Amino acid sequence: MSTDRSDGAVARSGTDPDRSEPPLDPERLRRRLRRRTDEIERHEVEEAISALDARGDLTEAQREIVRDLGSALAEELTAAPARTLERAARIERLGEREQTRTRAIRRLFDLDEA
């Protein structure tokens, strides 16, 4: 293991026998990604609307624009990982490449706890 990340977190360089990873289920991870994305989108859009509303009158049309923007951003940011997980879910036995990508998505989006 190395600790070359500036935030003090430990970067893993290989398998850690004391830390077993949950089994890879791309379809389950895809659903978790969708749920997590929806949660973040809802929270951030409401925060933005509240902040804008505090500055003055925010019209319903403006609120809808903020909601649409939040939805579009969330969709675009997760489109490629979601497609990768969809492809992996169709494969009966994941090869090394699919396993690596699926694990990376799981770690990047913190999907173990979702």
Side-chain angles (χ1 to χ4, degrees):
M1 272 191 280
S2 66
T3 57
D4 54 337
R5 291 181 38 193
S6 61
D7 64 359
V10 175
R12 303 223 179 260
S13 58
T15 4
D16 184 351
D18 297 330
R19 183 175 179 259
S20 63
E21 289 188 359
L24 293 175
D25 181 349
E27 180 56 29
R28 185 173 183 194
L29 289 174
R30 188 193 62 75
R31 289 190 308 267
R32 285 180 176 182
L33 176 62
R34 182 76 256 157
R35 278 195 306 269
R36 186 143 174 96
T37 302
D38 289 345
E39 291 168 6
I40 293 169
E41 176 188 336
R42 270 191 304 277
H43 174 76
E44 295 302 325
V45 165
E46 289 312 312
E47 288 278 320
I49 288 174
S50 292
L52 291 169
D53 229 356
R55 293 180 174 189
D57 293 327
L58 191 62
T59 68
E60 190 54 42
Q62 291 168 326
R63 281 185 182 83
E64 193 58 36
I65 289 170
V66 172
R67 288 184 189 106
D68 289 346
L69 176 61
S71 179
L73 285 171
E75 185 65 31
E76 287 297 319
L77 288 171
T78 59
R83 278 193 308 270
T84 297
L85 292 172
E86 286 171 16
R87 279 193 304 270
R90 290 191 300 262
I91 298 171
E92 190 169 319
R93 187 167 193 280
L94 297 180
E96 186 62 35
R97 175 182 281 175
E98 290 84 10
Q99 288 181 30
T100 300
R101 288 178 178 171
T102 300
R103 281 190 194 100
I105 291 167
R106 181 173 60 195
R107 284 191 305 269
L108 286 170
F109 290 93
D110 196 21
L111 299 177
D112 287 334
E113 300 170 12

